[in-house]
Amino acid sequence: MDFDFSKYLNPQTFDKIIRVGFLILISVIIIQGLAFIVKRSITQRLSKQSRMIINRIIVYTGYTLLSFMVLRELKFDITALFGAAGVVGIIIGVASQTSIGNIISGFFLVSEKSFELGDVVRIGDKSGTVYSVDLLSIKIRTYDNLLLRIPNQTVISSELINVTRVPIRRMDIAVGVAYKEDLRKVFEVLKEVARKNPLCLDEPDPLILIQGYGASSIDILFAVWFEKNNFRDVKNSVMIEIKEAFDREGIEIPFPHVSLYAGEATKNFPVEMMPNQASEQAPTK
């Protein structure tokens, strides 16, 4: 049986295709143009995250309306489509309770404003920069440039630390000095390091705290305040300057020692060596 193409390849069909194509083209230009104008003008006072959400609402709403307009132009029964969509929606809703929970959690995250796009966050044992906030998850870019997806439910039920929300941060550096050292002198040297480093803030004052007596050293916490964008430069420069200052002032940074006693004849003459040397030179039977 021959198929009759004349019912479809006629001037009315071509006219309908041209109208639908023109409708899609004009609608896409209007939707994208409106989203661009809103993003550039009306929402300048809002955060990046709010601008992204508003932009997506405009785009998704626009394309949804465009779909209905195209279906109407093609003479589809939209009422029947709504009925079928309702049944399918119920089925999908029952089968995807986790997804619904993630969507609801996403609204809580947006309203809570715990973080914004570009913030550095720590969620559990994961850290990185917030890359995007979507309906079901947030995506963060890790320090080794991987894209990590975390479901919204996980985010809202976990402890979240926003590292960069406050403009200044404190950097804690553990320092160990030998027991023979004058601690008052050590304190003065550390204060001088903080005072001379241009990236360390004068206010608040640096914190110097004796944490305890360690196995090989007196453990000291040295903390300086800095602007959040200078983390790497502050870390490197302060560590280098502490080492240089201690070398200049003759302050010893000790390392673990192990004492070995080799038999009766030398039991009163301990030999000190590092742990790895001790394991290599221990006498064998």
Side-chain angles (χ1 to χ4, degrees), residues 151-213:
N152 289 334
Q153 273 189 310
T154 302
V155 176
I156 205 165
S157 60
S158 302
E159 182 181 85
L160 184 146
I161 299 175
N162 191 326
V163 178
T164 55
R165 172 58 63 88
V166 181
I168 66 171
R169 291 180 57 192
R170 195 184 80 178
M171 180 180 296
D172 296 346
I173 300 173
V175 180
V177 298
Y179 277 90
K180 66 182 180 64
E181 302 298 342
D182 182 354
L183 293 182
R184 291 182 174 84
K185 179 182 177 182
V186 173
F187 280 22
E188 290 301 322
V189 171
L190 292 175
K191 289 178 182 177
E192 188 69 12
V193 168
R195 186 163 53 247
K196 288 186 175 180
N197 190 304
L199 298 177
C200 296
L201 301 178
D202 297 329
E203 293 290 338
D205 294 331
L207 172 66
I208 303 176
L209 180 67
I210 298 177
Q211 291 189 304
Y213 299 113

Short mmCIF file of all heavy atoms in Angstrom, two decimals, residues 151-213:
data_model
loop_
_atom_site.label_atom_id
_atom_site.label_comp_id
_atom_site.label_asym_id
_atom_site.label_seq_id
_atom_site.Cartn_x
_atom_site.Cartn_y
_atom_site.Cartn_z
N PRO A 151 24.15 16.14 47.49
CA PRO A 151 22.68 16.32 47.55
C PRO A 151 22.29 17.35 48.61
O PRO A 151 22.94 17.46 49.66
CB PRO A 151 22.16 14.93 47.91
CG PRO A 151 23.25 13.99 47.48
CD PRO A 151 24.53 14.73 47.67
N ASN A 152 21.23 18.10 48.33
CA ASN A 152 20.79 19.14 49.25
C ASN A 152 20.43 18.59 50.63
O ASN A 152 20.68 19.25 51.66
CB ASN A 152 19.58 19.88 48.66
CG ASN A 152 19.95 20.74 47.49
OD1 ASN A 152 21.09 21.19 47.37
ND2 ASN A 152 19.01 20.98 46.59
N GLN A 153 19.85 17.40 50.68
CA GLN A 153 19.51 16.81 51.97
C GLN A 153 20.75 16.55 52.81
O GLN A 153 20.74 16.75 54.02
CB GLN A 153 18.74 15.49 51.76
CG GLN A 153 17.23 15.67 51.61
CD GLN A 153 16.50 14.35 51.63
OE1 GLN A 153 16.86 13.43 50.92
NE2 GLN A 153 15.47 14.25 52.45
N THR A 154 21.82 16.11 52.16
CA THR A 154 23.08 15.89 52.87
C THR A 154 23.64 17.19 53.41
O THR A 154 24.13 17.26 54.54
CB THR A 154 24.10 15.22 51.93
OG1 THR A 154 23.57 13.99 51.45
CG2 THR A 154 25.40 14.96 52.65
N VAL A 155 23.55 18.25 52.60
CA VAL A 155 24.08 19.55 53.01
C VAL A 155 23.32 20.08 54.22
O VAL A 155 23.91 20.53 55.21
CB VAL A 155 24.01 20.56 51.85
CG1 VAL A 155 24.47 21.94 52.30
CG2 VAL A 155 24.85 20.09 50.68
N ILE A 156 21.98 20.00 54.17
CA ILE A 156 21.18 20.61 55.23
C ILE A 156 21.24 19.80 56.52
O ILE A 156 20.95 20.33 57.61
CB ILE A 156 19.73 20.81 54.75
CG1 ILE A 156 19.07 21.94 55.53
CG2 ILE A 156 18.92 19.53 54.90
CD1 ILE A 156 17.78 22.45 54.93
N SER A 157 21.59 18.52 56.43
CA SER A 157 21.67 17.70 57.64
C SER A 157 23.10 17.55 58.15
O SER A 157 23.33 16.83 59.12
CB SER A 157 21.09 16.30 57.36
OG SER A 157 21.81 15.65 56.33
N SER A 158 24.06 18.22 57.50
CA SER A 158 25.46 18.14 57.91
C SER A 158 25.92 19.47 58.48
O SER A 158 25.29 20.51 58.27
CB SER A 158 26.35 17.76 56.72
OG SER A 158 25.96 16.54 56.14
N GLU A 159 27.02 19.41 59.19
CA GLU A 159 27.64 20.65 59.69
C GLU A 159 28.36 21.33 58.54
O GLU A 159 29.24 20.74 57.90
CB GLU A 159 28.63 20.31 60.81
CG GLU A 159 29.29 21.54 61.42
CD GLU A 159 30.28 21.16 62.50
OE1 GLU A 159 31.44 20.86 62.14
OE2 GLU A 159 29.90 21.15 63.68
N LEU A 160 27.99 22.56 58.28
CA LEU A 160 28.59 23.31 57.17
C LEU A 160 29.38 24.50 57.73
O LEU A 160 28.86 25.27 58.53
CB LEU A 160 27.49 23.81 56.21
CG LEU A 160 27.97 24.52 54.94
CD1 LEU A 160 27.03 24.21 53.77
CD2 LEU A 160 28.03 26.05 55.13
N ILE A 161 30.62 24.62 57.30
CA ILE A 161 31.48 25.73 57.72
C ILE A 161 31.75 26.60 56.50
O ILE A 161 32.27 26.12 55.49
CB ILE A 161 32.80 25.22 58.31
CG1 ILE A 161 32.54 24.36 59.55
CG2 ILE A 161 33.72 26.38 58.66
CD1 ILE A 161 33.78 23.71 60.12
N ASN A 162 31.35 27.87 56.59
CA ASN A 162 31.64 28.83 55.53
C ASN A 162 32.96 29.51 55.87
O ASN A 162 33.05 30.32 56.78
CB ASN A 162 30.51 29.86 55.42
CG ASN A 162 30.63 30.70 54.17
OD1 ASN A 162 31.71 31.02 53.71
ND2 ASN A 162 29.49 31.07 53.60
N VAL A 163 33.99 29.15 55.12
CA VAL A 163 35.35 29.61 55.44
C VAL A 163 35.55 31.07 55.10
O VAL A 163 36.28 31.80 55.79
CB VAL A 163 36.39 28.73 54.71
CG1 VAL A 163 37.80 29.21 54.98
CG2 VAL A 163 36.23 27.27 55.13
N THR A 164 34.89 31.56 54.04
CA THR A 164 35.19 32.90 53.52
C THR A 164 34.06 33.90 53.73
O THR A 164 34.10 34.98 53.15
CB THR A 164 35.51 32.81 52.02
OG1 THR A 164 34.42 32.15 51.34
CG2 THR A 164 36.78 32.03 51.78
N ARG A 165 33.05 33.59 54.52
CA ARG A 165 31.95 34.54 54.70
C ARG A 165 32.43 35.81 55.41
O ARG A 165 32.09 36.93 55.03
CB ARG A 165 30.82 33.87 55.48
CG ARG A 165 29.70 34.82 55.91
CD ARG A 165 29.05 35.54 54.73
NE ARG A 165 28.41 34.62 53.81
CZ ARG A 165 27.15 34.22 53.94
NH1 ARG A 165 26.40 34.65 54.94
NH2 ARG A 165 26.62 33.39 53.06
N VAL A 166 33.23 35.64 56.47
CA VAL A 166 33.75 36.79 57.21
C VAL A 166 35.01 37.29 56.51
O VAL A 166 35.85 36.48 56.09
CB VAL A 166 34.07 36.40 58.67
CG1 VAL A 166 34.58 37.59 59.46
CG2 VAL A 166 32.82 35.81 59.33
N PRO A 167 35.20 38.60 56.35
CA PRO A 167 36.32 39.11 55.54
C PRO A 167 37.70 38.83 56.11
O PRO A 167 38.69 38.82 55.37
CB PRO A 167 36.06 40.63 55.47
CG PRO A 167 35.12 40.91 56.59
CD PRO A 167 34.30 39.69 56.77
N ILE A 168 37.83 38.63 57.43
CA ILE A 168 39.15 38.32 58.00
C ILE A 168 39.10 36.95 58.67
O ILE A 168 38.05 36.51 59.13
CB ILE A 168 39.63 39.39 59.00
CG1 ILE A 168 38.73 39.42 60.24
CG2 ILE A 168 39.72 40.75 58.35
CD1 ILE A 168 39.27 40.29 61.35
N ARG A 169 40.25 36.27 58.68
CA ARG A 169 40.36 34.94 59.26
C ARG A 169 41.57 34.88 60.19
O ARG A 169 42.44 35.75 60.15
CB ARG A 169 40.53 33.89 58.17
CG ARG A 169 39.34 33.66 57.29
CD ARG A 169 39.64 32.59 56.26
NE ARG A 169 40.07 31.34 56.89
CZ ARG A 169 40.61 30.32 56.23
NH1 ARG A 169 40.80 30.42 54.92
NH2 ARG A 169 40.96 29.22 56.85
N ARG A 170 41.61 33.83 60.98
CA ARG A 170 42.76 33.58 61.84
C ARG A 170 43.46 32.31 61.38
O ARG A 170 42.82 31.30 61.13
CB ARG A 170 42.33 33.42 63.30
CG ARG A 170 43.47 33.53 64.29
CD ARG A 170 43.02 33.27 65.70
NE ARG A 170 42.89 31.84 65.98
CZ ARG A 170 42.54 31.34 67.16
NH1 ARG A 170 42.26 32.15 68.16
NH2 ARG A 170 42.45 30.03 67.33
N MET A 171 44.77 32.39 61.28
CA MET A 171 45.56 31.23 60.90
C MET A 171 46.32 30.72 62.12
O MET A 171 47.06 31.47 62.76
CB MET A 171 46.56 31.58 59.79
CG MET A 171 47.42 30.40 59.34
SD MET A 171 48.56 30.89 58.03
CE MET A 171 47.41 31.30 56.73
N ASP A 172 46.12 29.45 62.46
CA ASP A 172 46.78 28.84 63.61
C ASP A 172 48.00 28.05 63.14
O ASP A 172 47.89 27.19 62.25
CB ASP A 172 45.83 27.91 64.35
CG ASP A 172 44.65 28.66 64.98
OD1 ASP A 172 44.72 29.90 65.06
OD2 ASP A 172 43.67 28.01 65.39
N ILE A 173 49.15 28.35 63.74
CA ILE A 173 50.41 27.69 63.38
C ILE A 173 50.99 27.07 64.64
O ILE A 173 51.18 27.76 65.65
CB ILE A 173 51.41 28.67 62.75
CG1 ILE A 173 50.81 29.28 61.48
CG2 ILE A 173 52.73 27.98 62.45
CD1 ILE A 173 51.66 30.38 60.88
N ALA A 174 51.25 25.76 64.59
CA ALA A 174 51.84 25.06 65.73
C ALA A 174 53.36 25.19 65.66
O ALA A 174 53.98 24.88 64.63
CB ALA A 174 51.42 23.60 65.73
N VAL A 175 53.95 25.67 66.74
CA VAL A 175 55.40 25.86 66.82
C VAL A 175 55.93 25.09 68.03
O VAL A 175 55.34 25.15 69.11
CB VAL A 175 55.76 27.36 66.95
CG1 VAL A 175 57.27 27.54 67.02
CG2 VAL A 175 55.18 28.15 65.80
N GLY A 176 57.04 24.37 67.84
CA GLY A 176 57.69 23.67 68.94
C GLY A 176 59.09 24.20 69.17
O GLY A 176 59.85 24.40 68.21
N VAL A 177 59.46 24.47 70.42
CA VAL A 177 60.80 24.94 70.76
C VAL A 177 61.40 24.02 71.81
O VAL A 177 60.68 23.35 72.57
CB VAL A 177 60.80 26.40 71.26
CG1 VAL A 177 60.28 27.33 70.18
CG2 VAL A 177 59.96 26.54 72.53
N ALA A 178 62.73 24.01 71.88
CA ALA A 178 63.42 23.14 72.83
C ALA A 178 63.16 23.60 74.26
O ALA A 178 62.90 24.79 74.52
CB ALA A 178 64.92 23.13 72.53
N TYR A 179 63.30 22.67 75.21
CA TYR A 179 63.06 22.97 76.62
C TYR A 179 64.05 23.98 77.17
O TYR A 179 63.77 24.68 78.15
CB TYR A 179 63.10 21.68 77.44
CG TYR A 179 61.79 20.94 77.42
CD1 TYR A 179 61.54 19.97 76.44
CD2 TYR A 179 60.79 21.20 78.34
CE1 TYR A 179 60.32 19.29 76.40
CE2 TYR A 179 59.58 20.53 78.32
CZ TYR A 179 59.35 19.58 77.35
OH TYR A 179 58.15 18.93 77.30
N LYS A 180 65.24 24.07 76.57
CA LYS A 180 66.26 25.00 77.08
C LYS A 180 66.02 26.45 76.70
O LYS A 180 66.68 27.35 77.22
CB LYS A 180 67.64 24.58 76.54
CG LYS A 180 67.79 24.72 75.03
CD LYS A 180 69.14 24.24 74.56
CE LYS A 180 69.28 24.38 73.04
NZ LYS A 180 69.23 25.79 72.62
N GLU A 181 65.07 26.71 75.80
CA GLU A 181 64.87 28.06 75.30
C GLU A 181 64.14 28.95 76.31
O GLU A 181 63.34 28.47 77.12
CB GLU A 181 64.08 28.04 73.99
CG GLU A 181 64.72 27.21 72.88
CD GLU A 181 66.07 27.75 72.46
OE1 GLU A 181 66.38 28.93 72.76
OE2 GLU A 181 66.83 27.00 71.83
N ASP A 182 64.44 30.27 76.22
CA ASP A 182 63.76 31.29 77.03
C ASP A 182 62.41 31.60 76.35
O ASP A 182 62.38 32.19 75.28
CB ASP A 182 64.64 32.53 77.11
CG ASP A 182 64.02 33.63 77.98
OD1 ASP A 182 62.86 33.46 78.42
OD2 ASP A 182 64.68 34.66 78.19
N LEU A 183 61.33 31.20 77.00
CA LEU A 183 60.02 31.37 76.37
C LEU A 183 59.65 32.83 76.16
O LEU A 183 58.96 33.17 75.20
CB LEU A 183 58.95 30.66 77.21
CG LEU A 183 59.06 29.14 77.27
CD1 LEU A 183 57.92 28.56 78.09
CD2 LEU A 183 59.07 28.54 75.88
N ARG A 184 60.09 33.70 77.06
CA ARG A 184 59.79 35.13 76.88
C ARG A 184 60.46 35.66 75.61
O ARG A 184 59.88 36.47 74.88
CB ARG A 184 60.22 35.93 78.11
CG ARG A 184 59.36 35.65 79.35
CD ARG A 184 59.78 36.50 80.53
NE ARG A 184 58.87 36.33 81.66
CZ ARG A 184 58.95 35.35 82.54
NH1 ARG A 184 59.93 34.44 82.42
NH2 ARG A 184 58.08 35.25 83.53
N LYS A 185 61.66 35.20 75.36
CA LYS A 185 62.35 35.59 74.14
C LYS A 185 61.63 35.03 72.91
O LYS A 185 61.48 35.72 71.89
CB LYS A 185 63.80 35.10 74.17
CG LYS A 185 64.60 35.43 72.92
CD LYS A 185 66.00 34.88 73.01
CE LYS A 185 66.78 35.16 71.72
NZ LYS A 185 68.15 34.60 71.77
N VAL A 186 61.18 33.78 73.01
CA VAL A 186 60.43 33.17 71.90
C VAL A 186 59.18 33.98 71.60
O VAL A 186 58.85 34.24 70.44
CB VAL A 186 60.06 31.71 72.25
CG1 VAL A 186 59.14 31.13 71.18
CG2 VAL A 186 61.32 30.85 72.37
N PHE A 187 58.47 34.40 72.65
CA PHE A 187 57.25 35.20 72.45
C PHE A 187 57.58 36.50 71.71
O PHE A 187 56.86 36.90 70.80
CB PHE A 187 56.61 35.52 73.81
CG PHE A 187 55.80 34.39 74.38
CD1 PHE A 187 56.02 33.08 73.97
CD2 PHE A 187 54.82 34.63 75.32
CE1 PHE A 187 55.28 32.04 74.50
CE2 PHE A 187 54.06 33.60 75.84
CZ PHE A 187 54.30 32.29 75.44
N GLU A 188 58.66 37.15 72.10
CA GLU A 188 59.03 38.42 71.46
C GLU A 188 59.38 38.22 70.00
O GLU A 188 59.03 39.04 69.14
CB GLU A 188 60.20 39.07 72.21
CG GLU A 188 59.85 39.59 73.59
CD GLU A 188 58.74 40.64 73.54
OE1 GLU A 188 58.73 41.46 72.60
OE2 GLU A 188 57.87 40.62 74.44
N VAL A 189 60.08 37.14 69.71
CA VAL A 189 60.45 36.85 68.31
C VAL A 189 59.20 36.61 67.47
O VAL A 189 59.08 37.11 66.35
CB VAL A 189 61.39 35.63 68.25
CG1 VAL A 189 61.61 35.20 66.80
CG2 VAL A 189 62.73 35.96 68.90
N LEU A 190 58.24 35.85 68.00
CA LEU A 190 57.00 35.59 67.25
C LEU A 190 56.19 36.86 67.04
O LEU A 190 55.62 37.09 65.96
CB LEU A 190 56.16 34.54 67.99
CG LEU A 190 56.74 33.12 68.03
CD1 LEU A 190 55.87 32.21 68.89
CD2 LEU A 190 56.87 32.54 66.62
N LYS A 191 56.14 37.72 68.07
CA LYS A 191 55.43 38.99 67.92
C LYS A 191 56.08 39.85 66.84
O LYS A 191 55.40 40.52 66.06
CB LYS A 191 55.42 39.74 69.24
CG LYS A 191 54.52 39.12 70.31
CD LYS A 191 54.61 39.91 71.61
CE LYS A 191 53.75 39.27 72.70
NZ LYS A 191 53.88 40.00 73.99
N GLU A 192 57.41 39.80 66.78
CA GLU A 192 58.13 40.57 65.77
C GLU A 192 57.84 40.05 64.36
O GLU A 192 57.70 40.83 63.41
CB GLU A 192 59.63 40.51 66.05
CG GLU A 192 60.47 41.42 65.19
CD GLU A 192 60.28 42.90 65.49
OE1 GLU A 192 59.66 43.23 66.53
OE2 GLU A 192 60.71 43.73 64.68
N VAL A 193 57.73 38.73 64.23
CA VAL A 193 57.39 38.15 62.93
C VAL A 193 56.02 38.66 62.46
O VAL A 193 55.85 39.07 61.31
CB VAL A 193 57.38 36.61 63.01
CG1 VAL A 193 56.74 35.99 61.77
CG2 VAL A 193 58.80 36.08 63.18
N ALA A 194 55.04 38.64 63.34
CA ALA A 194 53.70 39.11 62.98
C ALA A 194 53.70 40.61 62.68
O ALA A 194 53.01 41.07 61.77
CB ALA A 194 52.72 38.80 64.10
N ARG A 195 54.49 41.37 63.45
CA ARG A 195 54.50 42.82 63.28
C ARG A 195 55.14 43.23 61.95
O ARG A 195 54.71 44.18 61.31
CB ARG A 195 55.25 43.45 64.45
CG ARG A 195 55.21 44.98 64.45
CD ARG A 195 55.58 45.57 65.80
NE ARG A 195 56.86 45.05 66.27
CZ ARG A 195 57.00 44.26 67.35
NH1 ARG A 195 55.94 43.89 68.05
NH2 ARG A 195 58.19 43.82 67.73
N LYS A 196 56.15 42.50 61.51
CA LYS A 196 56.87 42.88 60.29
C LYS A 196 56.22 42.34 59.02
O LYS A 196 56.51 42.82 57.92
CB LYS A 196 58.32 42.38 60.38
CG LYS A 196 59.17 43.16 61.37
CD LYS A 196 60.62 42.70 61.30
CE LYS A 196 61.50 43.54 62.21
NZ LYS A 196 62.92 43.12 62.15
N ASN A 197 55.37 41.33 59.15
CA ASN A 197 54.74 40.78 57.96
C ASN A 197 53.61 41.70 57.50
O ASN A 197 52.65 41.93 58.24
CB ASN A 197 54.19 39.38 58.26
CG ASN A 197 53.75 38.65 57.00
OD1 ASN A 197 52.93 39.14 56.24
ND2 ASN A 197 54.29 37.46 56.79
N PRO A 198 53.68 42.24 56.27
CA PRO A 198 52.65 43.21 55.83
C PRO A 198 51.27 42.60 55.63
O PRO A 198 50.28 43.33 55.58
CB PRO A 198 53.22 43.73 54.49
CG PRO A 198 54.11 42.63 54.00
CD PRO A 198 54.69 42.00 55.23
N LEU A 199 51.18 41.28 55.53
CA LEU A 199 49.89 40.63 55.31
C LEU A 199 49.18 40.30 56.61
O LEU A 199 47.99 39.97 56.59
CB LEU A 199 50.08 39.35 54.48
CG LEU A 199 50.66 39.55 53.07
CD1 LEU A 199 50.85 38.20 52.39
CD2 LEU A 199 49.76 40.44 52.23
N CYS A 200 49.86 40.34 57.73
CA CYS A 200 49.26 40.07 59.03
C CYS A 200 48.63 41.36 59.57
O CYS A 200 49.26 42.42 59.53
CB CYS A 200 50.29 39.54 60.02
SG CYS A 200 50.99 37.95 59.57
N LEU A 201 47.43 41.28 60.08
CA LEU A 201 46.72 42.45 60.58
C LEU A 201 47.20 42.82 61.98
O LEU A 201 47.52 41.94 62.79
CB LEU A 201 45.21 42.19 60.60
CG LEU A 201 44.56 41.83 59.26
CD1 LEU A 201 43.07 41.55 59.46
CD2 LEU A 201 44.77 42.94 58.24
N ASP A 202 47.24 44.13 62.25
CA ASP A 202 47.60 44.60 63.59
C ASP A 202 46.46 44.39 64.58
O ASP A 202 46.69 44.21 65.77
CB ASP A 202 47.99 46.09 63.54
CG ASP A 202 49.23 46.32 62.68
OD1 ASP A 202 50.08 45.41 62.64
OD2 ASP A 202 49.34 47.38 62.05
N GLU A 203 45.23 44.46 64.08
CA GLU A 203 44.05 44.25 64.90
C GLU A 203 43.16 43.20 64.24
O GLU A 203 42.86 43.32 63.04
CB GLU A 203 43.25 45.56 65.06
CG GLU A 203 43.97 46.63 65.85
CD GLU A 203 44.08 46.27 67.33
OE1 GLU A 203 43.28 45.44 67.80
OE2 GLU A 203 44.97 46.81 68.00
N PRO A 204 42.76 42.17 64.97
CA PRO A 204 43.10 41.82 66.35
C PRO A 204 44.58 41.44 66.51
O PRO A 204 45.24 41.10 65.54
CB PRO A 204 42.20 40.62 66.65
CG PRO A 204 41.15 40.63 65.57
CD PRO A 204 41.80 41.23 64.39
N ASP A 205 45.06 41.49 67.75
CA ASP A 205 46.44 41.14 68.04
C ASP A 205 46.70 39.66 67.77
O ASP A 205 45.81 38.83 67.92
CB ASP A 205 46.76 41.44 69.52
CG ASP A 205 46.71 42.93 69.82
OD1 ASP A 205 46.99 43.71 68.90
OD2 ASP A 205 46.38 43.29 70.97
N PRO A 206 47.95 39.34 67.39
CA PRO A 206 48.28 37.91 67.24
C PRO A 206 48.17 37.18 68.57
O PRO A 206 48.37 37.77 69.64
CB PRO A 206 49.73 37.95 66.73
CG PRO A 206 50.25 39.28 67.11
CD PRO A 206 49.08 40.22 67.08
N LEU A 207 47.84 35.92 68.52
CA LEU A 207 47.66 35.09 69.71
C LEU A 207 48.86 34.17 69.87
O LEU A 207 49.24 33.48 68.92
CB LEU A 207 46.37 34.27 69.60
CG LEU A 207 46.13 33.23 70.69
CD1 LEU A 207 45.92 33.90 72.04
CD2 LEU A 207 44.95 32.34 70.33
N ILE A 208 49.46 34.17 71.07
CA ILE A 208 50.56 33.25 71.38
C ILE A 208 50.16 32.52 72.66
O ILE A 208 49.95 33.14 73.70
CB ILE A 208 51.89 33.99 71.57
CG1 ILE A 208 52.22 34.80 70.31
CG2 ILE A 208 53.01 33.00 71.87
CD1 ILE A 208 53.47 35.65 70.44
N LEU A 209 50.07 31.19 72.59
CA LEU A 209 49.56 30.41 73.71
C LEU A 209 50.38 29.13 73.87
O LEU A 209 50.59 28.40 72.90
CB LEU A 209 48.09 30.05 73.46
CG LEU A 209 47.38 29.23 74.52
CD1 LEU A 209 47.21 30.05 75.80
CD2 LEU A 209 46.02 28.76 74.01
N ILE A 210 50.85 28.89 75.09
CA ILE A 210 51.56 27.65 75.38
C ILE A 210 50.52 26.53 75.50
O ILE A 210 49.65 26.56 76.36
CB ILE A 210 52.38 27.75 76.67
CG1 ILE A 210 53.46 28.84 76.54
CG2 ILE A 210 53.03 26.41 77.00
CD1 ILE A 210 54.26 29.06 77.80
N GLN A 211 50.64 25.54 74.63
CA GLN A 211 49.66 24.46 74.61
C GLN A 211 50.01 23.31 75.54
O GLN A 211 49.14 22.59 76.00
CB GLN A 211 49.48 23.94 73.18
CG GLN A 211 48.80 24.94 72.25
CD GLN A 211 48.45 24.33 70.92
OE1 GLN A 211 49.31 23.81 70.22
NE2 GLN A 211 47.19 24.39 70.55
N GLY A 212 51.30 23.12 75.80
CA GLY A 212 51.66 22.03 76.70
C GLY A 212 53.10 21.62 76.52
O GLY A 212 53.84 22.15 75.66
N TYR A 213 53.52 20.63 77.35
CA TYR A 213 54.87 20.09 77.29
C TYR A 213 54.83 18.80 76.47
O TYR A 213 54.27 17.80 76.90
CB TYR A 213 55.40 19.82 78.69
CG TYR A 213 55.50 21.07 79.55
CD1 TYR A 213 54.69 21.24 80.66
CD2 TYR A 213 56.39 22.08 79.22
CE1 TYR A 213 54.76 22.38 81.43
CE2 TYR A 213 56.48 23.24 79.98
CZ TYR A 213 55.66 23.38 81.09
OH TYR A 213 55.74 24.52 81.84
#
